[in-house]
């Protein structure tokens, strides 16, 4: 199949603030024999995009390069490598031109992506690509973190920081589906109301209340079984005061900055566990990717997980800059999307 020679993408030529984001024309991606070629419909906006833009996370791609780590769209090109075509894992997916997939792959703020078939997530016809793009990273993160990083179970008391955000709302839904009590933190009364409607049992306005005091009041001084913390630096120290003996702290992000180095002896006081997972190390092999693709689809279709899309932003320099600004200034409830194509 012949492809265009160029495409449009949101790229960065250097690290920095939202001002470094530019819509530019770049060469069409190199298509490897083991790749799927995907026309992107929607890209999800996530804090990991901010980390790449700021240089907290580095890329092996030379500047300028397209950013964005989440997207969904339609397959327009299939692998040609005979070893791939003979692979039972590939055959199990039954890919054809017109199949829909979602992906966690650097470069999704672009019209097209060429990516390894092994890391694509099949999307059933019953789920629109808009929803697939809105739920992939946070949905698979939710399922894997609450199944593998800490296995949430009936009777647990779970603390979720930023419970009204894109990840926080799904973590809350999944924890409730497993019979846990959820305590959440958020910044505004509007977000607190949303979190309660989303299933949170207790919501703490961290700007107006002392989070540690409230958590210990709710748990009769014992603390929580597990904390899911996507804030990072600003909440890390207080987490140690809110976890109970033998509890687990799952550090899932760095919205306020990276957690500074600390001595492992800090864990001794409460015999606690600390986990810093990424979804890509749970969904790593082709069979693991397929497992989580099916699990996410199942939980979306049966209503266990439900997304709220805050806003769709246009595929323009100004639109993506606005999306990054909105995400980092706490203006949003739910998921942000960039509409790449119709």
């Amino acid at each position: 199949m012949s492809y265009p020679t160029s495409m449009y993408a949101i790229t960065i030529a250097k690290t920095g603030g939202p001002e470094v984001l530019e819509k530019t024309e770049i060469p069409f991606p190199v298509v490897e024999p083991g790749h799927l070629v995907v026309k992107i419909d929607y890209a999800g906006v996530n804090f990991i995009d901010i980390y790449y833009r700021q240089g907290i996370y580095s890329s092996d791609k030379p500047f300028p390069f397209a950013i964005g780590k989440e997207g969904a769209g339609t397959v327009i090109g299939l692998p040609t490598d005979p070893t791939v075509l003979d692979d039972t894992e590939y055959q199990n997916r039954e890919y054809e031109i017109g199949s829909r997939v979602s992906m966690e792959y650097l470069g999704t703020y672009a019209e097209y992506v060429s990516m390894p078939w092994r890391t694509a997530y099949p999307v059933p016809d019953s789920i629109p690509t808009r929803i697939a793009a809105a739920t992939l990273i946070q949905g698979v993160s939710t399922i894997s973190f609450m199944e593998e990083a800490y296995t949430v179970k009936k009777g647990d008391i779970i603390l979720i920081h930023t419970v009204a955000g894109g990840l926080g709302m799904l973590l809350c839904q999944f924890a409730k589906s497993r019979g846990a009590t959820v305590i959440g933190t958020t910044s505004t009364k509007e977000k607190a109301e949303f979190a309660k409607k989303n299933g949170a049992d207790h919501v703490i306005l961290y700007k107006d209340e002392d989070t540690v005091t409230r958590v210990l009041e709710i748990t009769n001084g014992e603390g929580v079984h597990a904390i899911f913390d996507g804030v990072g630096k600003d909440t890390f120290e207080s987490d140690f005061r809110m976890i109970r003996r033998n509890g687990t702290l799952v550090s899932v992000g760095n919205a306020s900055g990276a957690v500074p180095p600390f001595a492992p002896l800090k864990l001794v006081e409460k015999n606690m566990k600390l986990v810093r997972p990424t979804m890509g190390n749970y969904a790593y092999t082709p069979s693991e990717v397929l497992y989580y693709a099916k699990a996410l689809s199942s939980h979306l279709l049966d209503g266990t997980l439900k997304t709220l899309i805050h806003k769709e932003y246009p595929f323009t320099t100004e639109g993506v800059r606005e999306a990054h600004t909105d995400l980092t200034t706490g203006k949003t409830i739910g998921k942000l999307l960039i509409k790449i194509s119709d």
Side-chain angles (χ1 to χ4, degrees):
M1 177 179 178
S2 61
Y3 301 110
T5 57
S6 64
M7 67 176 185
Y8 284 100
I10 301 295
T11 62
I12 59 171
K14 60 181 179 179
T15 57
E19 71 280 356
V20 303
L21 297 162
E22 296 280 356
K23 185 175 181 179
T24 59
E25 189 172 8
I26 62 173
F28 194 86
V30 175
V31 179
E32 303 287 349
H35 279 198
L36 294 172
V37 182
V38 182
K39 186 177 187 293
I40 301 295
D41 295 338
Y42 292 90
V45 181
N46 299 285
F47 272 100
I48 194 170
D49 306 337
I50 311 297
Y51 305 155
Y52 275 105
R53 193 199 73 216
Q54 294 174 334
I56 295 173
Y57 287 2
S58 61
S59 169
D60 57 3
K61 297 183 178 181
F63 290 115
F65 65 86
I67 67 166
K69 278 282 285 182
E70 179 180 41
T74 303
V75 173
I76 64 167
L78 298 168
T80 56
D81 184 343
T83 60
V84 171
L85 301 179
D86 290 338
D87 190 312
T88 55
E89 284 285 355
Y90 175 76
Q91 294 170 354
N92 286 341
R93 286 151 171 79
E94 300 182 337
Y95 285 135
E96 59 186 12
I97 301 299
S99 294
R100 288 110 42 71
V101 296
S102 56
M103 74 285 295
E104 183 207 16
Y105 189 74
L106 183 60
T108 58
Y109 291 6
E111 292 180 300
Y112 300 93
V113 166
S114 177
M115 62 173 298
W117 70 270
R118 298 163 56 92
T119 55
Y121 291 74
V123 175
D125 292 340
S126 49
I127 296 176
T129 52
R130 179 174 180 265
I131 299 301
T135 55
L136 176 67
I137 287 182
Q138 289 154 345
V140 174
S141 293
T142 289
I143 299 166
S144 60
F145 292 175
M146 288 192 157
E147 285 186 351
E148 300 200 54
Y150 175 79
T151 304
V152 176
K153 54 193 179 298
K154 185 176 181 179
D156 280 348
I157 305 175
I158 305 296
L159 173 62
I160 300 170
H161 286 297
T162 59
V163 72
L167 176 61
M169 62 181 285
L170 296 184
L171 288 168
C172 179
Q173 293 168 10
F174 197 77
K176 292 301 298 178
S177 76
R178 291 200 154 201
T181 296
V182 172
I183 305 171
T185 68
T186 195
S187 57
T188 67
K189 291 181 180 179
E190 178 191 13
K191 290 183 176 182
E193 284 303 311
F194 168 76
K196 289 175 183 175
K197 291 178 182 177
N198 192 50
D201 298 282
H202 308 274
V203 182
I204 300 166
L205 293 170
Y206 64 79
K207 292 183 177 180
D208 303 326
E209 304 175 84
D210 184 283
T211 301
V212 174
T213 299
R214 287 286 292 118
V215 167
L216 294 179
E217 285 175 354
I218 293 166
T219 61
N220 296 317
E222 287 192 65
V224 296
H225 294 88
I227 299 174
F228 291 81
D229 186 352
V231 177
K233 177 172 63 68
D234 288 354
T235 51
F236 188 69
E237 288 298 326
S238 62
D239 287 340
F240 286 83
R241 299 164 59 195
M242 296 184 287
I243 202 76
R244 68 173 56 194
R245 185 178 62 86
N246 295 327
T248 300
L249 169 56
V250 186
S251 176
V252 301
N254 317 293
S256 67
V259 172
F262 69 96
L265 281 172
K266 192 175 183 69
L267 307 176
V268 168
E269 182 180 352
K270 293 184 177 178
N271 205 37
M272 63 179 284
K273 302 178 184 72
L274 172 64
V275 188
R276 181 57 176 94
T278 62
M279 73 170 256
N281 276 328
Y282 289 129
Y284 185 81
T285 67
S287 60
E288 290 168 342
V289 169
L290 189 58
Y291 167 81
Y292 281 111
K294 290 180 176 179
L296 177 58
S297 295
S298 174
H299 289 311
L300 288 171
L301 292 171
D302 70 14
T304 298
L305 296 179
K306 300 175 287 291
T307 189
L308 171 70
I309 296 173
H310 172 78
K311 183 177 178 179
E312 288 182 17
Y313 296 80
F315 182 46
T316 62
T317 296
E318 296 75 16
V320 179
R321 287 179 180 179
E322 181 186 2
H324 276 223
T325 301
D326 288 351
L327 184 64
T328 55
T329 52
K331 295 181 178 179
T332 65
I333 298 176
K335 184 72 179 188
L336 284 61
L337 289 178
I338 300 167
K339 187 177 173 121
I340 306 293
S341 66
D342 294 325

